[in-house]
């Protein structure tokens, strides 16, 4: 199946980001396609490399970046939501890119299912 | 509508009250962008989401822009399939006349069948 993934919540405060990560990873391991992961609303904060969790905790941005590298995934961080929250090209981690909200519509058209995490 | 079928069936659902959180405002931004893609778009207001289109919001005291009137722009974006859940209105003591736009009032069964038709959803 062709999936799109939409994340609306920020890291650590809310489990949505972790759930989205585990879903994306599991879908790929099962041989499904993930056309795009779209970070919207507070979800854009998952992309910042400025996060520094304690050493015994997961590093949410790095987890996402490593998964992107392994599967060559398409990660889009919504520009309007990012600007509001101080996220820009200087702070996003490897594998993320800033893009327009229209790229969420595109994946809703192309994917068999958009799976939303948060809200 | 008698027009040619256009695009995929996509639905945006407003479920949360405005201003307390940003869900509905950024949900509205999503609707306005989607309108440019020439798809078969439906918008549903349900639960506290109906407050997003309540007329007469006075938001000055909380220092947040009143964005409810912006919902009127939806029709200008060629999105004509606007729905509101009957039960949600009644439970909150509101009527269609209390709103800035006039979506079609539908009951729970109609909500269900409408949702069954859709390809993808966004919930805000």
């Amino acid at each position: 199946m062709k999936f799109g993934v939409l994340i609306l919540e920020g890291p650590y405060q809310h489990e949505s980001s972790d759930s989205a990560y585990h879903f994306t990873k599991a879908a790929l391991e099962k041989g499904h396609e993930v056309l795009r992961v779209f970070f919207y609303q507070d979800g854009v904060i998952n992309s910042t490399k400025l996060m520094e969790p304690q050493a015994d905790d997961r590093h949410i941005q790095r987890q996402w970046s490593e998964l992107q590298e392994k599967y060559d995934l398409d990660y889009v961080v919504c520009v309007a939501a990012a600007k509001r929250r101080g996220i820009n090209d200087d702070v996003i981690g490897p594998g993320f890119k800033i893009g327009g909200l229209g790229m969420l519509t595109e994946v809703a058209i192309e994917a068999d299912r958009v799976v939303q995490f948060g809200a | 509508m008698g027009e040619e079928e256009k695009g995929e069936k996509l639905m945006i659902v407003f479920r949360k009250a405005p201003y307390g959180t940003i869900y509905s405002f950024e949900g509205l931004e999503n609707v306005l962008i989607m309108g440019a893609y020439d798809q078969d778009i439906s918008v549903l207001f349900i639960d506290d989401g109906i407050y997003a289109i309540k007329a007469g919001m006075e938001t000055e005291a909380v220092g947040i822009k009143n964005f409810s009137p912006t919902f009127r722009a939806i029709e200008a974006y060629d999105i004509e399939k606007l729905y509101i859940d009957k039960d949600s209105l009644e439970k909150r003591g509101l009527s269609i006349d209390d709103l800035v736009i006039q979506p079609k009032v539908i009951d729970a069964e109609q909500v269900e069948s409408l949702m069954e038709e859709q390809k993808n959803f966004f919930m805000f």
Side-chain angles (χ1 to χ4, degrees):
Chain A
M1 190 174 271
K2 290 179 183 173
F3 287 110
V5 174
L6 170 63
I7 303 168
L8 299 186
E9 309 291 348
Y12 303 105
Q13 172 85 10
H14 203 296
E15 196 190 0
S16 288
S17 169
D18 295 283
S19 304
Y21 169 76
H22 292 303
F23 173 84
T24 304
K25 189 165 172 280
L28 292 162
E29 284 167 358
K30 292 273 185 188
H32 297 289
E33 267 186 87
V34 175
L35 300 181
R36 176 170 290 155
V37 181
F38 196 90
F39 298 84
Y40 192 37
Q41 305 208 314
D42 273 4
V44 300
I45 302 166
N46 292 291
S47 68
T48 174
K49 63 187 178 195
L50 301 181
M51 64 176 71
E52 280 185 66
Q54 291 184 335
D56 60 352
D57 197 359
R58 70 228 186 274
H59 192 297
I60 289 180
Q61 169 269 314
R62 271 184 217 149
Q63 278 185 338
W64 279 111
S65 289
E66 284 160 16
L67 192 66
Q68 188 280 332
E69 191 180 12
K70 185 172 178 187
Y71 291 96
D72 193 24
L73 298 171
D74 184 33
Y75 289 177
V76 178
V77 178
C78 171
V79 60
K83 282 189 158 195
R84 256 182 210 120
R85 294 165 176 86
I87 303 294
N88 57 38
D89 283 327
D90 295 337
V91 304
I92 58 173
F96 291 91
K97 65 171 182 276
I98 308 265
L101 193 43
M103 295 169 90
L104 175 59
T105 305
E106 285 171 13
V107 77
I109 295 166
E110 286 165 33
D112 300 312
R113 289 281 185 284
V114 173
V115 184
Q116 173 178 332
F117 295 86
Chain B
M1 290 183 198
E3 285 176 26
E4 216 173 295
E5 284 288 312
K6 58 175 185 179
E8 301 288 355
K9 285 183 181 291
L10 306 175
M11 178 180 253
I12 300 104
V13 185
F14 288 88
R15 294 193 300 182
K16 292 179 187 287
Y19 310 111
T21 63
I22 200 169
Y23 294 108
S24 63
F25 176 69
E26 289 189 329
L28 172 60
E29 288 191 330
N30 187 36
V31 173
L32 298 179
I33 295 288
M34 290 182 85
Y37 278 76
D38 207 26
Q39 302 296 307
D40 186 357
I41 294 173
S42 300
V43 178
L44 170 68
F45 299 90
I46 195 166
D47 299 337
D48 278 349
I50 72 172
Y51 287 121
I53 50 169
K54 190 184 172 300
M57 288 283 187
E58 291 177 14
T59 64
E60 269 175 41
V62 292
I64 304 175
K65 190 180 121 185
N66 176 6
F67 62 87
S68 303
T70 312
F71 277 94
R72 293 198 193 105
I74 289 180
E75 282 162 330
Y77 284 72
D78 271 347
I79 298 171
E80 292 156 354
K81 295 184 176 176
L82 306 175
Y83 305 95
I84 189 161
D85 174 57
K86 185 168 178 276
D87 197 40
S88 304
L89 269 174
E90 284 172 0
K91 277 187 178 156
R92 288 161 185 79
L94 294 173
S95 82
I96 196 80
D97 300 324
D98 297 316
L99 310 175
V100 294
I101 52 173
Q102 271 67 50
K104 186 178 177 192
V105 181
I106 59 174
D107 64 21
E109 263 181 45
Q110 290 168 300
V111 169
E112 188 186 336
S113 59
L114 196 63
M115 285 186 160
E116 273 177 7
E117 293 173 6
Q118 305 299 318
K119 179 179 189 189
N120 275 313
F121 294 89
F122 300 111
M123 305 280 180
F124 291 100

